[in-house]
Amino acid sequence: MHWPGLAALLMCLPFLAAASHAQHGSGGPSSAGGAMASGRRLLADPLLPLPYMLVPGQISCAAECAKRGQVQVGVFPAAGKSLCAYSWQDKQFYWGTEQNGFCRFRNLAQGNHTTERRDYYTCACRDPATKLHWAPDLLCASGPSAAAQDPAVCRVRKLGGGDWQAGTWVNSTCYISDEPFGKDGAPVGAVYNVGGPHKVQLLCAGPASRRRLAAATDAGGSAGRRALSGGRRLAELHPAKTFDTYFSKPDCPFTCKRAGLRPVTGGSANASRVLCSKTNYLGSMRFYGTWNSSSQACSYLLFENQFSFGEYSQAYWAYECVCQLQQAPWAWQPSTVCLQPEARLIPHRQPCRVTRASGEVAFGFINGYDPQDVCDFYPTPIGPGGKTVHTVVRVGGPDKNGLTMDILCRMKDRRKCSSVKATRAGLAQKARDLAAAQNAIRYTTNETLRWAGIVNKTCPPSLPSHADATSFIVWLYWTAFGQGKDHLTNQEDWQGGGPAIMGLTGRQVSETKGVQLASYAHAQPGDIVFYGTFSKAWPALYVGNGEVVGLRNTQFGGRLQVKPIYHRQDVLQIRSYPDFRWAAPPGQGPS
């Protein structure tokens, strides 16, 4: 038999033991209770409300074999059962049955009890042309007739038929996981010798068509066993190859699918990369990273506290895949609003996503110790020319490396007006459309009348009856985000904003040096441009292409005008208020 990469794997066993021990509890990695309890359920993490689920990563033996051009070694194909194996400290291999991503076997070295594992086991694969078969033939326990030896592979049938379970052949006994295979569903974990009421068989090399086994299979008893072990050898003498076993790693798309969920990916073009999660050794802190189909590892930054520099790590087992329901009320948003309590999915380490224009993606988390909008992730060649990047500063983008950053947060339609798209492009286009209509607004600074658009719940294409430059900008934002608080001023009431307060909220995206005008190199549509002085500023909406839309008091009344950003020589600053793409159709989840 062939065991590719086994030597390298065994070097990692001491650490594997520690990691599994921490995950499964005091019973160790072979603890039946710990493994079964953590394997079959979704993690009960109180910080993660539905529909955001962490599912322990599971292995897909079908995918593991398929990527090598091979097929699984069947145990009971009708029930989706195939052969798997587990090794502990290089003492011995234990054969078992893989079904639905779990390997069940009898651990003879550690308590002789049933163990079920979701990761850190091997899948049995064979070339499609390789012939194997099951037979009650003792000659298949060793030598060229055996498909595997030291130990051989066996299987036990449920009393009366209808199910099979594979196990390990030791001392003329087939040891399987405890299964309800006995009379009236009594558990069976070991059956002596081949044949008998449980039709015990061994996995043999060669095609079954060259055997005459019907009588021997049904014979049972000592006479049947003598017939099987004596006389002419029934198995093939010189098989060129039997099957291979591969140490397998969890597969996140498979894991989520098995749980009836779907993986959180970077979009349809990035299905090979999935958001994953790993805890520290004590299980007290959780981190987020990227599961990649090529490495089949969860790559993340281990960042314990504000005093540590962080340690980049890759987990090949004992991690969780982040999955969601088919319809999910949350999405990736380029908004720091996602870090506020009303939008956060979890109190700490909010997941973030970094995307390149070409579609490449990496996942990480905002650690809470850096400024709130710094995304840390495993070093990834995602920058220009394959440059390795591990940090992106500032939500939105693109940044100097051409990367944009989103945050995972709750979805909520905050629009007051369905005619407005709560996106940068949508708000900018709406401002252009309103200016093109050339409708007049009664320009006023009266503290009551200036808020007429909000008080009267006016929606585009209509305009407020009264407004000034500031209240018009606030009204425009209100149409897109009025279901929530006023994020231009961080106040609950949208009718109290002014340039002095707005100049202190949001984030400055312009750069001013000496007497030079504020630069709009980093401005994006939807940002607000302030002209004049701090004590008395005139705001306008940046709509892209070096232009702004603002309300001016003319001899014909208040008029919306589209002007070049430098139509005035007193550009004070440009500020961003990143609520954009916060609103989305109900039920739309992250792509």
Side-chain angles (χ1 to χ4, degrees), residues 399-560:
D399 67 359
K400 63 182 180 181
N401 291 314
L403 304 176
T404 59
M405 189 240 288
D406 301 323
I407 305 174
L408 193 62
C409 64
R410 295 181 187 277
M411 291 280 289
K412 185 176 182 180
D413 191 344
R414 294 176 169 271
R415 294 175 299 170
K416 278 290 188 179
C417 302
S418 60
S419 59
V420 178
K421 293 182 178 179
T423 64
R424 289 185 176 276
L427 200 64
Q429 187 59 52
K430 185 60 63 177
R432 287 183 178 275
D433 293 343
L434 293 173
Q438 289 296 305
N439 294 323
I441 300 176
R442 293 181 181 178
Y443 197 97
T444 181
T445 58
N446 180 281
E447 192 58 36
T448 301
L449 293 177
R450 64 196 288 254
W451 300 110
I454 295 176
V455 172
N456 297 327
K457 298 180 173 56
T458 304
C459 286
S462 299
L463 287 170
S465 60
H466 298 75
D468 62 6
T470 299
S471 62
F472 170 77
I473 296 296
V474 174
W475 168 78
L476 197 58
Y477 264 77
W478 171 86
T479 64
F481 310 109
Q483 296 287 2
K485 70 178 184 179
D486 181 359
H487 292 297
L488 295 177
T489 63
N490 286 331
Q491 298 179 11
E492 295 297 332
D493 187 0
W494 283 80
Q495 302 173 41
I501 298 177
M502 293 162 59
L504 299 175
T505 58
R507 175 177 53 222
Q508 183 171 335
V509 296
S510 57
E511 297 178 2
T512 306
K513 297 180 181 180
V515 296
Q516 296 178 2
L517 297 177
S519 168
Y520 68 93
H522 300 297
Q524 300 181 71
D527 291 345
I528 298 178
V529 182
F530 294 89
Y531 298 83
T533 63
F534 283 104
S535 61
K536 192 175 182 179
W538 181 79
L541 187 77
Y542 182 66
V543 293
N545 296 325
E547 295 179 320
V548 296
V549 170
L551 181 65
R552 287 192 172 279
N553 187 16
T554 71
Q555 60 179 332
F556 304 106
R559 293 286 183 176
L560 291 175

Side-chain angles (χ1 to χ4, degrees), residues 312-332:
Y312 297 109
S313 181
Q314 287 187 305
Y316 292 93
W317 56 87
Y319 58 82
E320 289 75 45
C321 304
V322 182
C323 310
Q324 66 173 48
L325 298 175
Q326 298 298 322
Q327 299 295 324
W330 48 275
W332 295 104

Side-chain angles (χ1 to χ4, degrees), residues 27-88:
S30 59
S31 170
M36 293 176 68
S38 64
R40 289 293 189 187
R41 63 178 177 84
L42 303 180
L43 286 189
D45 193 328
L47 301 181
L48 294 170
L50 288 171
Y52 181 110
M53 303 300 297
L54 294 177
V55 186
Q58 291 180 253
I59 291 172
S60 171
C61 281
E64 196 70 34
C65 295
K67 70 183 182 182
R68 295 175 169 85
Q70 297 181 315
V71 295
Q72 295 173 266
V73 177
V75 172
F76 187 36
K81 291 185 174 183
S82 62
L83 186 65
C84 61
Y86 174 76
S87 177
W88 177 247

